[in-house]
Amino acid sequence: MKLLRTIISVIALVFLFSGQSQAKSVCMPKIYLFGVSISFNDSTVYFTDIQQLENAWVINKSKMLEGRSDYANQFKSYFSGLGEKERTCVVYYAFTEKAIQKKLAKIRKRFTNPKKRKYEHYEIKTVARDLFVFQQVTHQDDTDEPVMSKEERKAAEKAAKQAVKDKRRAEAQAAQEAKRKKKEEQKAAKAS
């Protein structure tokens, strides 16, 4: 009975803790983004136009765009199609048009400011919207694999270990009880 109670409590703990710590995502009606591509083999830096993306998924707590690497890979595959495979691509995003314009100006300034780049001269090129457009990345729902925090995982492991110990203890007690009954039966058989 005690064994059954511990197993049920372990299962209840696992389900209780697994539901609380999932990273929830929300669908934003629109976000703004642009891409930057640079290669260490040449001095050309490519920028995309600011693009509006509809229904993008954002991790609620950290406000991070889901699938950031997928958007960067889209931009990188555009250059791979042009024969420039060794380019590093980064995607910047913001929730308002004003904020993304500010980010774009700041990043462009890094490559055009002669005071900061004394010996390096970058050629800035813009990839027009008719040549490249970001495609929406599909949302990955993680409800099948719950995420647990470190403390929750430790508590679940501790409860599972305790359940195994209780099970072994119950098995040992059952084995001792079986031996005792067997001896009593043998004594009863000798006595008759």
Side-chain angles (χ1 to χ4, degrees), residues 6-191:
T6 24
I7 291 174
I8 291 173
S9 63
V10 167
I11 292 171
L13 281 172
V14 169
F15 282 115
L16 177 71
F17 290 128
S18 66
Q20 292 178 350
S21 63
Q22 278 185 338
K24 305 285 184 191
S25 297
V26 292
C27 183
M28 299 297 288
K30 62 182 172 181
I31 63 164
Y32 301 91
L33 67 147
F34 69 90
V36 179
S37 177
I38 188 168
S39 175
F40 297 106
N41 297 332
D42 68 3
S43 61
T44 307
V45 179
Y46 291 94
F47 285 86
T48 65
D49 291 331
I50 294 175
Q51 298 179 17
Q52 181 177 326
L53 193 65
E54 303 288 329
N55 300 325
W57 288 89
V58 175
I59 299 171
N60 194 22
K61 194 170 189 177
S62 63
K63 301 296 183 201
M64 297 294 286
L65 178 65
E66 246 185 38
R68 293 177 308 281
S69 61
D70 294 331
Y71 292 110
N73 287 337
Q74 287 177 18
F75 197 35
K76 188 170 185 161
S77 66
Y78 166 76
F79 286 106
S80 294
L82 297 176
E84 297 186 38
K85 295 183 180 181
E86 301 297 322
R87 299 200 69 82
T88 303
C89 298
V90 180
V91 174
Y92 293 89
Y93 68 95
F95 302 110
T96 62
E97 196 169 1
K98 184 178 180 181
I100 197 71
Q101 287 173 349
K102 192 174 181 180
K103 282 184 183 183
L104 179 61
K106 182 179 178 181
I107 300 299
R108 275 187 181 265
K109 188 176 181 181
R110 286 186 186 173
F111 294 105
T112 57
N113 189 351
K115 292 180 182 176
K116 290 188 177 183
R117 302 290 183 199
K118 189 174 183 179
Y119 301 107
E120 300 174 13
H121 301 286
Y122 292 104
E123 182 181 352
I124 306 293
K125 291 188 178 180
T126 303
V127 178
R129 192 171 298 194
D130 59 338
L131 296 175
F132 175 77
V133 176
F134 287 106
Q135 301 298 319
Q136 186 170 359
V137 174
T138 57
H139 173 59
Q140 299 289 327
D141 193 11
D142 295 336
T143 55
D144 294 342
E145 297 180 17
V147 180
M148 293 185 355
S149 70
K150 189 175 181 179
E151 295 83 16
E152 293 169 341
R153 192 170 41 252
K154 282 184 178 182
E157 287 173 1
K158 186 177 179 180
K161 285 180 183 179
Q162 185 64 39
V164 169
K165 284 180 184 179
D166 291 343
K167 181 181 176 186
R168 288 181 183 162
R169 189 176 301 129
E171 288 172 352
Q173 287 175 350
Q176 286 178 351
E177 185 67 28
K179 281 183 184 179
R180 188 182 60 77
K181 285 184 180 180
K182 189 175 182 180
K183 283 183 182 179
E184 287 178 2
E185 288 175 2
Q186 288 174 351
K187 283 184 182 179
K190 284 183 183 178

